[in-house]
């Protein structure tokens, strides 16, 4: 395995974990499960709704990542100068997102209210309360990705540009799958915990107690990834 392949895989893994640290999809999934349990919905149906939600997140994340990889393969002139310029632009974007994450990702005050405009936040809350079928939960999962695309576009772009540099199509498909699976880890963990009988309220309290730490780590990780890509791809240390 070449140094460039190793560094590409490192970028994909780190970018996916940063993506996983963003909280909107997890917040909506927690609301969905909490409202369903509160209405005394059968445990099996609650898990079915949660699984459908995750499938919606998985599909849209996969489509977004695959589309960027596809068009990057077509449009990017694979010369060292072009790749370094694009890498530098992505680094700048991630630094900006890191600052934004530290500055206003969570709203001030108690609870885990996010940066979303209040109208859209109320819409997601209302839809999570009204969701009763798998198709609705699936659409809600897709909506949560669309709502947070402003933040997740940074790690998705970083991962996609690393995926393009993998040796062949098989590697690239594997890189996309790796990114998607790792980005879904918090949703899968919460679903497993709820399936095991853990309280949604307890999970929500944990999120509220640690929200500033999650915010700090998310923003700081964007800075670290930007620095790594700058050294690795702009300065060309591994090339």
């Amino acid at each position: 395995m070449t140094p460039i392949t190793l560094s590409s895989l490192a970028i994909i893994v780190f970018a996916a974990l940063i993506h996983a640290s963003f909280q909107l999809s997890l917040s909506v999934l927690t609301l969905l499960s909490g409202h369903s349990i509160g209405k005394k919905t059968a445990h099996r149906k609650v898990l079915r709704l949660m699984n459908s939600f995750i499938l919606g997140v998985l599909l849209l994340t996969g489509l977004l990542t695959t589309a960027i990889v596809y068009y990057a393969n077509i449009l990017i002139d694979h010369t060292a100068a072009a790749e370094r310029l694009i890498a530098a632009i992505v680094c700048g974007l991630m630094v900006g997102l890191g600052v934004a994450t530290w500055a206003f990702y969570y709203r001030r005050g108690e609870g885990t209210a996010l940066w979303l405009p209040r109208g859209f936040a109320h819409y997601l809350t209302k839809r999570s309360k009204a969701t009763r079928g798998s198709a609705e939960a699936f659409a809600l999962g897709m909506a949560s990705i669309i709502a947070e695309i402003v933040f997740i576009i940074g790690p998705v772009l970083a991962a996609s540009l690393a995926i393009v540099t993998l040796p062949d199509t098989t590697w690239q498909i594997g890189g996309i799958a790796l990114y998607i699976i790792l980005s879904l880890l918090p949703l899968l963990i919460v679903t497993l915990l709820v399936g095991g009988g853990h309280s949604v309220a307890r999970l929500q309290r944990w999120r509220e107690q640690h929200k500033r730490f999650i915010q700090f780590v998310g923003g700081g990780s964007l800075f670290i990834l930007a620095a790594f890509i700058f050294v690795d791809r702009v300065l060309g240390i591994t090339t």
Side-chain angles (χ1 to χ4, degrees):
M1 191 179 295
T2 63
I4 193 70
T5 300
L6 281 172
S7 68
S8 294
L9 291 174
I11 291 169
I12 293 165
V13 170
F14 197 17
L17 294 177
I18 294 171
H19 182 148
S21 74
F22 291 121
Q23 296 286 298
L24 182 56
S25 292
L26 185 59
S27 293
V28 178
L29 180 64
T30 304
L31 283 172
L32 174 65
S33 58
H35 292 317
S36 299
I37 292 169
K39 290 183 286 191
K40 301 190 184 301
T41 305
H43 191 64
R44 184 178 297 177
K45 184 176 180 181
V46 173
L47 292 178
R48 187 165 68 246
L49 291 175
M50 295 179 76
N51 287 330
S52 297
F53 179 94
I54 291 173
L55 284 175
V57 173
L58 183 152
L59 176 64
L60 202 56
T61 302
L63 288 175
L64 179 63
T65 308
T66 303
I68 294 174
V69 170
Y70 175 76
Y71 286 110
N73 270 315
I74 293 175
L75 299 175
I76 292 177
D77 178 11
H78 290 281
T79 62
E83 290 179 359
R84 286 174 179 172
L85 175 62
I86 293 167
I89 293 170
V90 171
C91 289
L93 174 63
M94 287 192 296
V95 168
L97 290 175
V99 172
T101 300
W102 278 355
F104 57 81
Y105 188 74
Y106 281 107
R107 288 180 176 269
R108 296 182 183 277
E110 300 295 327
T112 54
L114 301 178
W115 59 276
L116 283 176
R118 291 300 84 194
F120 199 30
H122 290 320
Y123 168 78
L124 290 174
T125 301
K126 183 179 177 181
R127 289 310 312 155
S128 66
K129 289 181 180 178
T131 296
R132 291 180 173 82
S134 297
E136 293 173 298
F138 180 84
L140 190 61
M142 296 180 72
S144 72
I145 291 295
I146 294 170
E148 196 157 51
I149 198 166
V150 171
F151 279 94
I152 65 175
I153 193 63
V156 170
L157 278 172
S160 298
L161 294 175
I163 289 167
V164 168
T165 64
L166 292 174
D168 53 39
T169 303
T170 302
W171 273 93
Q172 291 184 9
I173 292 172
I176 293 170
L178 178 64
Y179 182 85
I180 294 170
I181 292 168
L182 290 177
S183 71
L184 290 174
L185 275 179
L187 305 182
L188 296 172
I189 291 170
V190 167
T191 301
L192 287 172
L193 289 173
V194 171
H198 289 266
S199 167
V200 174
R202 192 172 174 183
L203 295 173
Q204 181 62 18
R205 280 197 303 272
W206 185 91
R207 290 182 60 233
E208 184 172 347
Q209 290 167 358
H210 295 85
K211 68 177 184 179
R212 295 305 174 194
F213 174 75
I214 294 170
Q215 183 178 16
F216 176 79
V217 169
S221 296
L222 284 165
F223 291 129
I224 293 169
L225 181 57
F228 179 80
I229 292 174
F230 187 82
V231 171
D232 186 66
R233 300 299 163 93
V234 179
L235 300 182
I237 298 303
T238 63
T239 58

